Amino acid sequence: MKFLLVAINAKYIHSNPAIYSLKEYARRYAQHVELAEFTINEALGEIRSSIYRRRPDAIGFSCYIWNISYVEALVQDLHNLLPETAIWLGGPEVSYDAEETLNRMPGAAGVMVGEGEATFLQLMEHYVEGTVELEQIRGLCYRAGESAAVKTEPRPMLHFEDVPFLYRNLPLQEHKIVYYETSRGCPFRCSYCLSSVEKQVRFRDLETVKRELDFFLEKRVAQVKLVDRTFNCKKSHSLAIWTYLLEHDNGVTNFHFEISADLLGEEEFQVMSRMRPGLIQLEIGVQTTNPDTLREIRRFVPFSALSRAVRRIRAMGNIHQHLDLIAGLPMEGYERFGHSFDDVYRLKPDQLQLGFLKVLKGSSLYDRVSDYGIVYETKPPYEVMRTRWMSYEEIIRLKSVEAVLEAYYNSGQFTTVLTWIEHFWERPFLFYEAFGDYCRQKQIEKISHSRMERYEILRAFVREQIFPKRAEPLCDLTAVLDSLLWYDFCLRENKKTTADFAPEWRPPREWVRTFFEEEEKNPKLLRGYEGYSWKQMMSMTRLERFPIRIEETAGTILPQKAAQVILFDYRNRNPLTKDAKTVIVSD
């Protein structure tokens, strides 16, 4: 007997912990269980043929909003091709309305409802041993001949200690994110989130967690993404883990946590302040700063406390922060959302994700869509199209804001020039709104641009939309814009190339050669390069001359005129931003 568990992931770098957990929990039947992972970027026919060639006796699909349309097509095709093969479904996208799912997918044999480990183990007993009947297995909804679907008793949740560690007997795949959980459930009741449906939070024993973290540290895994819904909801738990990571840091592994920043206290800040840059990174859901919306969605997170924590962490300079906003929430219109954007943007997160409300089956918001006038996509991911407070036209406009925010702010490639450009607008949101409108009108927002092309697009926007309205000398404004663009380019790129916005006057070749020859003989600015020739030093760095003082000018509109020669050191990059280290060689 062969049971094939199938995951269809959103990206190649993703993996699916669910199917690994099912197999590990049912490890006594491991010889009967195979795993297959695909992505939504693969052709449907290729996925189908790959599954077919394995000739499984049963198939289990892990179902989410990003893959359910693929699963639906595959279920019917595979049922037609392999009519004797039982096809089972599981996951959040089918657990809430299992009977409706079976009506919609006549090729499916049944649904594993809710938490699946123990249910799958009994399902394997049913197929391999024949010692248990389907009606005896809790947590199922299945077809019984020609009759309506049969739904068994709900399955109680496992003790979290009984959930197996996924990776002990699995090779850690290079280039794929490793997922790990130290808790399940969430104590909060945000109306748009499925995590609020589970009424309790279960924590893994701390000694067990430490042993499992040691596994990742010993393997020197690049990144471990913890999928705990609110990692720091229990202080003793999160503080103990952060302290352990601080004390056992291997200098390589990065750990990603989703937290509620308002819950952080002095003890957590003290531990965080001592961490290696890049040891941890934090994802913080703000969603909105509108008090009326926060009350309506039952998210009681005071923005004042959250912002104090974010600023404090930012001042440490060693932790990447990713802040989230959701557009389309109840009681927040376009203009008010713009102010939520401004509030979060001014906290200067390393990344600001502008997401859009998704109406998830099973969430309490799902039951109130008519009250809120919410119209959402009929197909996954069920994204909001309009609400009583926000029109579809405004949603479209925010999509353009999202596109330029992602390409320019979140890429981290335009930090210095954006700081300067923002001076020309009263509010940050108004800049991104104008830039998004410009890209949409030019019909370039959906095109995949090279990095250099993105610099040119931003330059054209500023020259067309800002400069004609200013009283300052055009030559001065152009000098600032081009210098800051080139500076940002050089921070990331060591390509020995040029651009239209590069300074006309470059350091003379002989001067540059002399500089590196002197550094080879007597290193002053390039310490750590001992043993390298001057030519090797030159290849790993670059010298550029700018007609203005970069850092001083970025905070103003008019330039601080005075030429600077700046050394960009690419061997010594900022571990958080990946920017080259810079040294002012001469003024």
Side-chain angles (χ1 to χ4, degrees), residues 272-330:
M272 288 179 181
S273 68
R274 296 159 51 205
M275 288 178 169
R276 163 181 61 86
L279 172 58
I280 71 169
Q281 63 188 50
L282 303 176
E283 183 172 348
I284 300 167
V286 184
Q287 322 312 9
T288 177
T289 66
N290 182 356
D292 295 333
T293 299
L294 289 169
R295 281 192 294 271
E296 189 66 21
I297 63 175
R298 304 201 302 268
R299 183 173 177 81
F300 305 107
V301 178
F303 182 67
S304 57
L306 182 149
S307 58
R308 281 195 300 271
V310 169
R311 289 192 182 97
R312 175 125 181 223
I313 295 169
R314 178 176 174 77
M316 296 174 190
N318 63 337
I319 296 174
H320 174 102
Q321 294 187 96
H322 173 135
L323 271 57
D324 297 330
L325 279 172
I326 298 178
L329 289 170

Side-chain angles (χ1 to χ4, degrees), residues 331-333 369-375 386-391:
M331 305 189 75
E332 184 160 72
V369 290
S370 59
D371 297 340
Y372 298 136
I374 292 176
V375 176
R386 73 164 183 256
T387 74
R388 182 183 299 171
W389 300 271
M390 194 177 291
S391 69

Side-chain angles (χ1 to χ4, degrees), residues 471-490:
E472 294 84 4
L474 181 60
C475 60
D476 287 347
L477 292 174
T478 301
V480 177
L481 174 64
D482 287 356
S483 294
L484 298 181
L485 283 169
W486 186 242
Y487 178 79
D488 278 337
F489 180 85
C490 292

Side-chain angles (χ1 to χ4, degrees), residues 105-376:
M105 289 189 258
V111 176
M112 289 182 278
V113 179
E115 196 170 62
E117 285 92 349
T119 303
F120 180 67
L121 173 60
Q122 284 200 285
L123 201 58
M124 290 304 299
E125 291 175 1
H126 167 77
Y127 283 115
V128 178
E129 309 288 354
T131 55
V132 59
E133 298 300 323
L134 292 180
E135 62 263 27
Q136 298 173 294
I137 302 175
R138 303 178 79 171
L140 289 185
C141 181
Y142 64 95
R143 300 183 194 281
E146 299 298 322
S147 64
V150 174
K151 199 166 187 178
T152 64
E153 289 292 314
R155 178 171 293 280
M157 293 177 181
L158 289 172
H159 293 295
F160 203 13
E161 285 305 295
D162 295 334
V163 176
F165 181 58
L166 308 184
Y167 302 102
R168 190 71 61 189
N169 300 311
L170 291 173
L172 292 170
Q173 295 172 299
E174 191 176 359
H175 308 308
K176 287 203 172 189
I177 297 172
V178 173
Y179 297 97
Y180 178 63
E181 58 184 344
T182 73
S183 64
R184 282 186 181 177
C186 182
F188 305 112
R189 297 290 176 261
C190 304
S191 65
Y192 54 84
C193 181
L194 280 180
S195 295
S196 64
V197 176
E198 190 172 331
K199 303 302 182 185
Q200 59 175 304
V201 185
R202 292 165 290 158
F203 295 93
R204 207 157 179 80
D205 177 74
L206 279 171
E207 293 308 310
T208 301
V209 170
K210 291 174 182 178
R211 287 195 301 272
E212 293 167 351
L213 291 175
D214 281 340
F215 178 84
F216 299 130
L217 292 167
E218 290 166 8
K219 296 288 186 181
R220 299 175 73 81
V221 173
Q223 184 182 58
V224 178
K225 186 168 185 178
L226 281 87
V227 293
D228 305 49
R229 298 313 302 156
T230 305
F231 174 75
N232 65 324
C233 64
K234 182 179 178 183
K235 180 173 181 174
S236 59
H237 182 81
S238 57
L239 183 59
I241 292 172
W242 281 335
T243 302
Y244 190 80
L245 292 178
L246 171 65
E247 294 170 349
H248 296 80
D249 180 16
N250 63 9
V252 174
T253 305
N254 165 266
F255 294 86
H256 177 107
F257 300 91
E258 293 186 38
I259 69 162
S260 190
D262 60 300
L263 300 179
L264 295 173
E266 189 59 33
E267 290 177 282
E268 289 97 321
F269 291 131
Q270 290 299 322
V271 170
M272 288 179 181
S273 68
R274 296 159 51 205
M275 288 178 169
R276 163 181 61 86
L279 172 58
I280 71 169
Q281 63 188 50
L282 303 176
E283 183 172 348
I284 300 167
V286 184
Q287 322 312 9
T288 177
T289 66
N290 182 356
D292 295 333
T293 299
L294 289 169
R295 281 192 294 271
E296 189 66 21
I297 63 175
R298 304 201 302 268
R299 183 173 177 81
F300 305 107
V301 178
F303 182 67
S304 57
L306 182 149
S307 58
R308 281 195 300 271
V310 169
R311 289 192 182 97
R312 175 125 181 223
I313 295 169
R314 178 176 174 77
M316 296 174 190
N318 63 337
I319 296 174
H320 174 102
Q321 294 187 96
H322 173 135
L323 271 57
D324 297 330
L325 279 172
I326 298 178
L329 289 170
M331 305 189 75
E332 184 160 72
Y334 181 87
E335 181 63 27
R336 183 59 186 79
F337 177 81
H339 287 284
S340 287
F341 181 100
D342 292 334
D343 291 338
V344 176
Y345 189 89
R346 288 177 179 130
L347 294 177
K348 299 181 180 179
D350 298 284
Q351 283 198 306
L352 197 176
Q353 180 177 328
L354 196 174
F356 293 81
L357 177 67
K358 294 172 178 60
V359 182
L360 303 178
K361 291 180 287 186
S363 67
S364 60
L365 185 140
Y366 175 80
D367 297 324
R368 298 197 60 191
V369 290
S370 59
D371 297 340
Y372 298 136
I374 292 176
V375 176
Y376 61 96

